[in-house]
Amino acid sequence: MRPSDMMLVVLLAILGVCSGSVQDFMSLSPSRRDVMMMQMRTTKENASPGYATAQLDQIVDHTNNDNNVTFVQQYLYNDTFWDRDHGGPVFLLVGGEFGAAAWWSMLIPTILPLAQQMKALIVLPEHRFFGSSFPVPNLHVDNLNKLFTFEQAISDLAYFHGYVSSKFEVSSSTPWVAFGCSYSGVLASFFRTDHPELVVGAIVSSAPVYLKFDFSEFNEQAAINAADTSVGGSQACHDAIASGFGEFNDLLFKSDNASTIQKLFSTCSPFTKDLDKMTLTWTLQALFSYPFQWSKFYNPSDNALTDFCNEILAPGNSSFENIVTMTKARISTPCVPSNFTQVVEILKSTLDTQPTPDAWFMQYFYLECSQIGYYATCEEKDNCIFAALKVSFYDEFCQVFDISPSDRDARMQALNSRYGGTTPTGTNIFSVNGSFDPYHLLSATTPNLSRGNDATVIKGAPHCANNDDPTPTDPPQLVLARKQVAAQVFEWVTTTTQAN
């Protein structure tokens, strides 16, 4: 998830055009976000039934009853285990900011055995504007404002429900359960809230259902993680981060030595304003945020926080000098972008192009700017120990889409009011989070059993951990959370089946 991952892809794209073209920008090799998603995927292609791919004609604009224009939406399904004749349920996997295949790989590891046990049909519709499912041929802002909204996406799911019910001859008494992780978990939660008649419940993992533009809490949790020995951090690591980035921030913003930073970090151009300086700090945040959201203390091959701490504490140099070395090791291009105006113009130039099926970052960038936020700011007033990054940077950055901060805030406030934020207004929503993941701070973590909403927080677990393939090193609390999910789904399905 989210902001940091998106930023890194954009960053790498911008690096590609520092000495190239817009075409280079749109056709880069797989990004770090892709690598992260691959780490979350399973070997299900080799070890278990996969999926079939199909298409339907989806409505372009659900808000216009007089316009029946459609687009081709891709979906995936697996009916290997489905017992339609005896009321086998339907598991609706909600897609998000990638193509359908990526979301299938993310969500399927723990759902596939549950589907086998409960004899379920599994379906996953691709989210509009991602993968091969484009309602319009470009990313013009007018199109995005009208067609890329929660309302449209939720209506897609409702229409898809009807399509599948007809196509697969699903009985009207058959229970459906929605599943989602991260942004797709938010969408699953909102879908259950708007359409309780269509799904009996929603399992949402690491779903930041409270929409917040200035997400300073991300770095507050990251600082806690850095000092926590139980997840691979240490007080020495925390202090090295504070010292190293403190020196970086002082040189960049509080002295006349910004040229020193330009030289050490090989920026592509001189700083002419604070937005240029924050373009560099944005780069550093993108490069270094992964260990503080995704690290698995229980998996020696993916304990990214310990690896980060070892790097920043490497002997022989100061923590600031180690940050310089770590930055250069992660960027292989000749220079680091530092011209804010150029970055914005490059991004704007892509809005007229037809995105490829693998492209996702501009669409998700728009979603963040317009509706969900999640921007990890780092300001002195918050005692942040990382590279300084003010909310004003993101306000300006989102002008790629000509979005008014006041309009954005009003839209997010309305969505939070409608869906309840961390106390969902819907019913039968089971929220699963990891305490290591900063996004649990925007998620539903307290049960509200009067509404049938349960919640569990897995101590030390990262983003969407319960969706990972089970391994022998999984801690007991993660194993228990998966059992709780299975028990909840079983209860919803059997209760509905018995009622019918």
Side-chain angles (χ1 to χ4, degrees):
M1 185 154 219
R2 298 264 130 17
S4 59
D5 307 337
M6 181 281 292
M7 289 189 297
L8 184 53
V9 175
V10 178
L11 162 68
L12 294 176
I14 292 166
L15 290 174
V17 276
C18 280
S19 58
S21 65
V22 173
Q23 285 69 31
D24 298 325
F25 179 90
M26 298 301 291
S27 59
L28 293 170
S29 58
S31 68
R32 178 63 182 274
R33 176 65 187 262
D34 298 322
V35 173
M36 290 192 292
M37 302 312 294
M38 287 301 296
Q39 290 174 340
M40 299 178 68
R41 295 176 189 177
T42 73
T43 56
K44 59 96 184 169
E45 289 87 356
N46 299 321
S48 60
Y51 55 78
T53 302
Q55 298 174 332
L56 74 147
D57 292 329
Q58 178 63 264
I59 302 295
V60 170
D61 184 4
H62 296 278
T63 66
N64 186 350
N65 294 328
D66 296 326
N67 189 340
N68 294 321
V69 176
T70 62
F71 70 99
V72 176
Q73 182 181 28
Q74 181 173 261
Y75 70 95
L76 311 180
Y77 69 93
N78 182 327
D79 59 359
T80 304
F81 310 117
W82 189 34
D83 188 353
R84 175 174 48 200
D85 295 336
H86 295 89
V90 179
F91 289 171
L92 173 63
L93 279 56
V94 178
E97 70 275 25
F98 297 101
W103 278 101
W104 184 278
S105 297
M106 276 185 60
L107 295 171
I108 203 63
T110 54
I111 292 176
L112 192 66
L114 190 59
Q116 184 173 11
Q117 177 187 355
M118 301 192 70
K119 304 184 186 311
L121 168 67
I122 310 172
V123 292
L124 189 157
E126 193 165 65
H127 195 299
R128 60 170 52 207
F129 283 100
F130 294 105
S132 302
S133 302
F134 273 82
V136 287
N138 55 54
L139 298 177
H140 287 170
V141 173
D142 288 345
N143 287 331
L144 295 174
N145 287 339
K146 184 177 182 180
L147 301 176
F148 194 7
T149 64
F150 274 111
E151 181 181 5
Q152 298 282 8
I154 290 169
S155 295
D156 282 350
L157 292 173
Y159 187 87
F160 178 74
H161 183 287
Y163 172 84
V164 169
S165 296
S166 175
K167 175 74 174 179
F168 290 84
E169 299 180 353
V170 181
S171 169
S172 60
S173 63
T174 296
W176 288 56
V177 180
F179 298 82
C181 153
S182 199
Y183 163 65
S184 88
V186 176
L187 192 54
S189 178
F190 290 2
F191 180 58
R192 164 62 191 175
T193 301
D194 281 351
H195 292 286
E197 78 283 5
L198 298 184
V199 289
V200 297
I203 303 293
V204 300
S205 305
S206 300
V209 288
Y210 180 70
L211 310 176
K212 192 171 191 285
F213 192 78
D214 182 359
F215 185 26
S216 61
E217 296 90 342
F218 183 100
N219 283 315
E220 292 174 12
Q221 182 64 48
I224 293 171
N225 293 343
D228 188 348
T229 57
S230 70
V231 294
S234 67
Q235 189 62 48
C237 181
H238 174 281
D239 294 347
I241 293 170
S243 173
F245 282 111
E247 184 174 348
F248 170 86
N249 291 332
D250 286 347
L251 282 172
L252 188 58
F253 294 104
K254 295 183 179 181
S255 74
D256 296 326
N257 295 319
S259 59
T260 300
I261 294 292
Q262 291 174 2
K263 181 177 180 181
L264 287 173
F265 287 87
S266 302
T267 61
C268 297
S269 56
F271 302 125
T272 61
K273 52 185 178 291
D274 275 357
L275 286 172
D276 292 341
K277 295 177 181 180
M278 283 189 282
T279 301
L280 176 61
T281 63
W282 170 68
T283 300
L284 266 60
Q285 183 181 97
L287 290 174
F288 296 133
S289 61
Y290 174 84
F292 302 96
Q293 180 186 352
W294 298 89
S295 181
K296 300 179 176 69
F297 74 90
Y298 48 87
N299 186 342
S301 66
D302 197 16
N303 192 345
L305 178 56
T306 296
D307 294 340
F308 176 91
C309 290
N310 288 338
E311 284 188 273
I312 202 168
L313 290 169
N317 295 306
S318 69
S319 54
F320 171 71
E321 290 169 333
N322 285 335
I323 288 170
V324 175
T325 300
M326 293 161 68
T327 301
K328 290 181 176 180
R330 287 161 170 77
I331 296 180
S332 59
T333 52
C335 65
V336 179
S338 56
N339 186 314
F340 177 81
T341 301
Q342 182 190 37
V343 169
V344 169
E345 289 306 313
I346 290 171
L347 294 176
K348 280 187 174 181
S349 71
T350 68
L351 298 179
D352 291 329
T353 63
Q354 169 72 59
T356 66
D358 293 330
W360 63 271
F361 62 84
M362 284 300 290
Q363 301 95 295
Y364 191 72
F365 178 23
Y366 171 80
L367 188 63
E368 289 185 315
C369 285
S370 64
Q371 294 167 78
I372 61 177
Y374 308 149
Y375 282 121
T377 56
C378 182
E379 302 199 39
E380 190 173 17
K381 65 180 177 62
D382 300 317
N383 297 316
C384 181
I385 66 171
F386 297 91
L389 196 54
K390 297 180 179 180
V391 68
S392 58
F393 173 82
Y394 291 113
D395 283 333
E396 292 294 329
F397 203 38
C398 288
Q399 292 312 303
V400 167
F401 303 106
D402 298 322
I403 293 173
S404 160
S406 59
D407 289 347
R408 171 205 70 212
D409 291 345
R411 184 182 301 116
M412 293 172 67
Q413 183 178 0
L415 288 166
N416 284 329
S417 177
R418 177 181 179 87
Y419 296 107
T422 57
T423 55
T425 55
T427 59
N428 286 9
I429 299 169
F430 185 21
S431 302
V432 185
N433 285 277
S435 67
F436 182 89
D437 176 23
Y439 288 93
H440 86 268
L441 300 171
L442 300 181
S443 303
T445 56
T446 303
N448 183 357
L449 299 183
S450 66
R451 301 193 64 78
N453 294 337
D454 205 351
T456 188
V457 179
I458 310 165
K459 184 179 180 180
H463 202 61
C464 295
N466 63 294
N467 294 112
D468 288 344
D469 246 346
T471 70
T473 62
D474 288 345
Q477 60 268 31
L478 177 55
V479 175
L480 176 61
R482 292 189 181 117
K483 291 180 179 179
Q484 290 173 318
V485 167
Q488 181 63 85
V489 173
F490 183 80
E491 178 185 336
W492 285 337
V493 169
T494 54
T495 300
T496 304
T497 302
Q498 290 169 359
N500 293 326

